[in-house]
Amino acid sequence: MAKKKNKEKTRIHFDTDWKYDPAPESVEHIKVNKQYEHYIGGSWKSPNEGKYFNTVNPASGKRLARIASGSTSDIDDAVAAARKAFGPWSALPGKERGKWLFKLARQIQERAREFAVIESLDGGKPIRESKAVDIPLAAAHFFYHAGWADKLTYAFPGRNPEPLGVAGQIIPWNFPLLMAAWKLAPALATGNTVVLKPAETTPLTALKLAELIDDLGFPPGVINIVTGAGDTGAALVQHPDIDKIAFTGSTDVGKEIQKSIAGTGKKLTLELGGKAANIILEDAAIDQAVEGIINGIYFNQGHVCCAGSRLLVQESIESKVIKKLKDRMSTLVIGDPLDKNTDIGAINSRAQLKTIQKYIELGAKEGGEIFQCEGSLPDGKGFWCKPTLFTGLAQSSTLVKEEIFGPVLAVQSFRTLEEALTKANNTPYGLSAGVWTDKGAKIFKMTTKLKAGIIWANTYNKFDPASPFGGYKESGFGREGGLHGLSAYVTF
Amino acid sequence: MAEKKIKSTEIESSNGQVHASGRVLVDKTYKLYIGGAFPRTESGRYTPITLNDNSVVNICEGSRKDFREAVVVARKAQSGWSKRTAYNRGQILYRIAEMLEARHAQFVDLLEQIGSENPAGEVDASIDRIVHYAGWSDKYQQVFSTVNPVSGPYFNFSVPEPTGVVAIICPQHNPLLALITNLLAGVVSGNACILIIPPINGAVAITLAEVLHTSDLPGGVVNIITGSEAELVPHVSGHMDVNAVVYASDHQDILRLIQSESSANVKRVIARQYEDWSDAELEGPYLISDTVEIKTTWHPIGQ
């Protein structure tokens, strides 16, 4: 006991003992207009119904800009522009089409810092993540797909791929620019034209992308961006002159879309929710696994469809892993998304914060034991949530079953690999999973039996344009990225 | 009928049920094929089908409960089937071709009985199509798998895996060839399938079940339900443990219903509508790819 007390004494409390000095990223050279219009047919168009909404900085609650709210008639205009552009764009030789995308990739790289800062301002994600993950990957997606534009016949042996036409693309708020890139790059490389609807709470980087497209002199109408909320998205889905819908978002909305386009002949890909199991076997490298758990669930405040939101840890190492996990959680820096030391930024919106808080209350009600690190949350009107974990939850509890989309981890234990597999697969979702073990044969036993589209073994939350991404079961269908992602945008 | 005693050779049958020698022929009872057994429909309903020789066969009118039972056994059988080696699956599927070739004449006769246009040609094409798909069992993976050059020290690869339980709604025309094409494209990758067959094709499909049954295909991998497409489709598309529906029949309103109701569990819906199922487009690996999922695995290199 004495020894234990001693250890407790030497623990550093990052909130009080050892505070980091502020290291905020400068916002001085960042240009954000007071108001943004739709980008349709190569020019900025005020919304036909004259309505706007605000996009706010979730770390302060303050308005960043007024954003055009898209109506059905705005969608009509955008689809008409995309249809007009489709003929010439699809007739362009692949080599030429590819060069436009290469140029786009380069421009994003050149403006990367501005994109990163705005991404963190508008979405609340730590600047470290915007800079290291979101923006470079977005550029990489365009660069990767640019090279496919003149090589498509090699992707489909024995067939002659043709573009579908006009694609309607609806993206979420968790990786705003990256999701735009995931959607736009394969659609454009294969010769389609696009109407993109960014998420209501994070439209800024897509609009900055429109500025960049405009500066590049991109052929007008090939990329159209209409901002708005769910109604705008619904108008896009229901538009009769759309050939393809690509949606990333919640499973509920995905199901509505699938239902609503029945019988229309529109092609569909869905990248929906997840409730991934991150499985730690007793022979795993535990310190690495703990880092993987942290990265799996607290990356981007847990606003990640493939987040490792269920931790399955083998019983023999359960207490050790949980202790180390709690220690590591205590070192996470929560605060200003623009600060380079920040690990956990702001929750994306007030509505999402409420959802997360509802789940945390539910977890306690359902008998779970909650752990949150010590220390206070930043002051002010921002939306904040501490990294949270729950132990002692039943397989049937809501926190084990439902996607929370926040920094909340549900911990369960298991004895045998079979039990781990049964628990991991016992979900309607099937987007991703993680496995940690030092034994190669065990890795493949687990990875081949997990019903999920992406499996990270001894790593987690890695993304790459060459790596296909997408789910099994109710996590959606179709792939984004890699050779496999191309088939979502072609017909034969 | 038998008011006076007569010899059997004197009996006449209106539809050829008595052989010229006077022997009364033994009919076949057509039932369903579920879990490697031939049960009657639990509903007890039937559709009488009059064949070209005027004989009447009773085809089971499968019910919602029959379909749900088939899903249970298909789910059970699927993991074992997909765990078989690709070589083993290929041999079993090739065996179906061997069995069908041996019964060539029987299927020509059956197709004639329901008025098919080119019975011998359809049986030939069906056998050859089985051989074609059997050969894909250990090859389609190499066509669709990739090692992905990610920007980092990771080994990253993508492979196709079977989607799971696949329901297939078969068309009325090309009774044997359409069935065979959709079935083989589904099971070759390790899916378990449930076929919905229009009653007019029931005799062909259930006789094919006998072929499948003697080909070492594990029970439950293929299940055949005869019955009304319009009645069964809502139960198929609304079922929460069916992963994909292949609609190979021709009714646009029913396709629309499937696409709509399949959203209940985000089913994959594949529409295959061909006037002529001997179309060369129906060979190759791409039909197989309709009912597989791409799984991507990451592992660090030397970290």
Side-chain angles (χ1 to χ4, degrees):
Chain A
M1 285 305 281
K3 207 176 171 187
K4 219 176 186 179
K5 266 185 188 168
N6 218 7
K7 254 191 178 171
E8 191 58 35
K9 263 186 193 167
T10 56
R11 176 182 293 181
I12 299 162
H13 291 271
F14 285 82
D15 200 41
T16 50
D17 301 345
W18 190 358
K19 275 199 150 181
Y20 289 95
D21 283 335
E25 182 81 21
S26 162
V27 294
E28 269 167 25
H29 77 298
I30 305 305
K31 289 188 284 287
V32 178
N33 299 343
K34 286 194 171 147
Q35 181 172 307
Y36 283 94
E37 318 299 338
H38 302 309
Y39 186 70
I40 296 173
S43 56
W44 298 96
K45 296 263 172 71
S46 304
N48 289 334
E49 292 183 4
K51 286 184 187 160
Y52 292 84
F53 61 94
N54 293 335
T55 185
V56 302
N57 177 347
S60 67
K62 284 183 188 154
R63 181 170 85 188
L64 289 165
R66 266 159 55 87
I67 307 292
S69 179
S71 61
T72 305
S73 75
D74 296 326
I75 292 289
D76 287 346
D77 294 348
V79 173
R83 176 61 61 193
K84 196 177 158 202
F86 174 64
W89 178 250
S90 59
L92 205 60
K95 267 185 189 167
E96 303 303 315
R97 228 170 37 228
K99 281 192 283 185
W100 281 111
L101 297 184
F102 278 122
K103 281 151 73 96
L104 194 51
R106 280 300 199 226
Q107 283 286 323
I108 293 171
Q109 288 174 331
E110 285 171 25
R111 300 185 185 186
R113 184 164 176 275
E114 186 183 33
F115 273 116
V117 172
I118 294 175
E119 202 72 299
S120 285
L121 277 174
D122 201 19
K125 65 172 63 203
I127 185 71
R128 214 184 51 216
E129 290 176 11
S130 307
K131 270 184 165 178
V133 181
D134 290 67
I135 312 306
L137 267 180
H141 263 270
F142 282 109
F143 201 90
Y144 174 82
H145 285 93
W148 268 122
D150 61 347
K151 303 170 189 69
L152 294 170
T153 49
Y154 300 98
F156 305 99
R159 307 193 104 179
N160 180 31
E162 300 278 349
L164 296 167
V166 177
Q169 306 183 318
I170 300 170
I171 55 171
W173 43 259
N174 55 345
F175 295 93
L177 185 70
L178 181 55
M179 289 299 109
W182 278 32
K183 293 278 182 285
L184 291 170
L188 300 174
T190 47
N192 300 276
T193 56
V194 172
V195 178
L196 175 83
K197 191 202 83 71
E200 186 188 6
T201 63
T202 55
L204 284 183
T205 44
L207 293 163
K208 293 299 285 188
L209 183 69
E211 280 179 3
L212 182 156
I213 289 162
D214 206 48
D215 291 349
L216 262 179
F218 218 84
V222 172
I223 303 171
N224 305 277
I225 297 179
V226 179
T227 44
D231 291 349
T232 314
L236 182 56
V237 168
Q238 282 153 20
H239 197 287
D241 201 28
I242 289 277
D243 300 294
K244 151 94 190 179
I245 296 290
F247 171 76
T248 296
S250 73
T251 290
D252 285 346
V253 176
K255 287 178 178 178
E256 275 175 39
I257 291 174
Q258 188 179 4
K259 199 174 182 70
S260 73
I261 65 166
T264 63
K266 288 174 189 166
K267 219 176 157 182
L268 177 67
T269 42
L270 296 171
E271 201 273 90
L272 308 177
K275 191 74 189 177
N278 201 358
I279 305 168
I280 319 295
L281 305 186
E282 59 190 357
D283 50 19
I286 289 185
D287 288 340
Q288 285 177 30
V290 167
E291 284 307 306
I293 298 164
I294 295 279
N295 179 44
I297 183 62
Y298 302 127
F299 174 61
N300 199 32
Q301 296 72 246
H303 302 327
V304 186
C305 47
C306 51
S309 53
R310 288 185 293 153
L311 171 63
L312 292 175
V313 56
Q314 200 152 16
E315 206 175 83
S316 52
I317 54 163
E318 185 186 7
S319 58
K320 189 175 175 186
V321 168
I322 289 174
K323 186 182 171 302
K324 279 181 182 259
L325 190 56
K326 287 177 177 175
D327 283 351
R328 180 68 180 87
M329 282 169 74
S330 303
T331 67
L332 294 172
V333 179
I334 309 162
D336 180 7
L338 287 183
D339 193 303
K340 289 157 203 155
N341 291 320
T342 294
D343 296 306
I344 313 280
I347 298 300
N348 187 268
S349 65
R350 187 185 302 281
Q352 185 58 24
L353 180 61
K354 278 190 181 158
T355 302
I356 297 166
Q357 285 166 341
K358 186 196 76 186
Y359 276 110
I360 291 176
E361 282 167 26
L362 203 59
K365 260 188 213 160
E366 289 184 350
E369 194 183 319
I370 186 173
F371 172 82
Q372 290 181 323
C373 32
E374 298 164 16
S376 52
L377 291 172
D379 300 330
K381 289 186 175 166
F383 317 131
W384 309 100
C385 180
K386 283 186 178 181
T388 305
L389 76 77
F390 275 96
T391 50
L393 291 167
Q395 181 73 22
S396 58
S397 70
T398 313
L399 268 69
V400 170
K401 289 192 299 188
E402 293 184 9
E403 183 178 44
I404 299 170
F405 227 62
V408 182
L409 179 65
V411 184
Q412 296 176 280
S413 66
F414 65 88
R415 287 185 181 172
T416 64
L417 301 194
E418 281 66 28
E419 186 188 350
L421 285 166
T422 305
K423 281 182 167 165
N425 287 335
N426 184 12
T427 168
Y429 294 115
L431 188 54
S432 61
V435 179
W436 297 81
T437 168
D438 260 1
K439 286 221 167 67
K442 276 193 195 172
I443 289 177
F444 286 110
K445 179 188 170 95
M446 300 296 280
T447 57
T448 52
K449 288 183 179 174
L450 285 163
K451 300 279 181 209
I454 307 108
I455 316 269
W456 286 291
N458 291 324
T459 183
Y460 207 94
N461 269 347
K462 293 286 180 289
F463 310 94
D464 194 279
S467 177
F469 187 96
Y472 283 33
K473 303 195 283 187
E474 293 189 23
S475 289
F477 45 72
R479 293 292 176 266
E480 293 183 301
L483 185 150
H484 299 88
L486 298 172
S487 59
Y489 289 97
V490 295
T491 184
F492 302 104
Chain B
M1 288 288 278
E3 284 178 358
K4 57 175 185 175
K5 271 197 171 179
I6 52 171
K7 287 181 186 172
S8 65
T9 47
E10 294 170 27
I11 291 179
E12 284 184 7
S13 165
S14 64
N15 54 17
Q17 290 296 294
V18 181
H19 193 262
S21 69
R23 183 175 170 270
V24 176
L25 299 185
V26 177
D27 295 332
K28 186 194 287 182
T29 306
Y30 292 101
K31 297 188 280 187
L32 305 178
Y33 183 55
I34 298 175
F38 292 85
R40 285 197 171 84
T41 168
E42 62 81 33
S43 69
R45 301 174 309 176
Y46 67 97
T47 307
I49 301 288
T50 306
L51 303 180
N52 274 1
D53 66 2
N54 286 328
S55 64
V56 176
V57 292
N58 295 316
I59 299 299
C60 284
E61 241 180 71
S63 66
R64 170 174 183 259
K65 200 171 173 189
D66 294 323
F67 177 74
R68 293 181 65 84
E69 174 63 20
V71 175
V72 171
V73 298
R75 178 63 65 193
K76 270 191 193 148
Q78 193 265 324
S79 58
W81 176 239
S82 68
K83 257 185 257 165
R84 300 277 184 122
T85 64
Y87 178 37
N88 183 238
R89 275 205 305 277
Q91 288 180 95
I92 289 171
L93 298 181
Y94 182 78
R95 174 90 175 149
I96 299 173
E98 292 179 342
M99 292 291 106
L100 188 55
E101 187 80 84
R103 298 222 210 176
H104 194 287
Q106 183 186 12
F107 277 90
V108 170
D109 181 52
L110 275 170
L111 289 169
E112 266 169 7
Q113 290 285 5
I114 57 171
S116 287
E117 276 173 20
N118 178 14
E122 182 163 346
V123 178
D124 291 346
S126 299
I127 295 166
D128 292 348
R129 188 148 289 170
I130 298 171
V131 173
H132 173 79
Y133 274 100
W136 274 119
S137 80
D138 49 8
K139 294 165 196 73
Y140 83 93
Q141 302 88 335
Q142 287 177 312
V143 176
F144 295 121
S145 293
T146 52
V147 171
N148 309 312
V150 295
S151 306
Y154 296 93
F155 183 58
N156 175 300
F157 61 98
S158 300
V159 293
E161 288 187 348
T163 294
V165 173
V166 179
I168 300 168
I169 322 286
C170 290
Q172 193 168 321
H173 65 289
N174 291 157
L176 185 62
L177 185 56
L179 188 164
I180 287 288
T181 304
N182 289 297
L183 174 63
L184 269 287
V187 295
V188 68
S189 65
N191 290 300
C193 294
I194 301 157
L195 298 157
I196 308 290
I197 304 289
I200 179 78
N201 298 343
V204 174
I206 297 302
T207 305
L208 184 75
E210 296 161 12
V211 170
L212 302 174
H213 199 63
T214 47
S215 302
D216 295 327
L217 194 70
V221 172
V222 178
N223 306 278
I224 301 180
I225 292 175
T226 50
S228 153
E229 173 182 316
E231 180 195 327
L232 290 168
V233 147
H235 307 310
V236 173
S237 42
H239 198 294
M240 296 300 278
D241 202 30
V242 172
N243 301 100
V245 184
V246 175
Y247 187 70
S249 185
D250 320 296
H251 306 103
Q252 296 313 312
D253 52 332
I254 291 186
L255 174 59
R256 186 194 179 98
L257 179 76
I258 293 172
Q259 288 172 331
S260 169
E261 298 306 305
S262 287
S263 63
N265 65 335
V266 197
K267 274 184 203 72
R268 289 83 174 113
V269 180
I270 299 106
R272 285 188 196 134
Q273 296 177 312
Y274 289 85
E275 270 180 36
D276 179 1
W277 285 82
S278 64
D279 195 321
E281 210 178 90
L282 290 160
E283 297 194 344
Y286 292 102
L287 265 64
I288 303 170
S289 72
D290 287 339
T291 48
V292 301
E293 306 289 324
I294 298 297
K295 176 183 275 183
T296 299
T297 307
W298 292 70
H299 195 278
I301 298 171
Q303 290 175 30

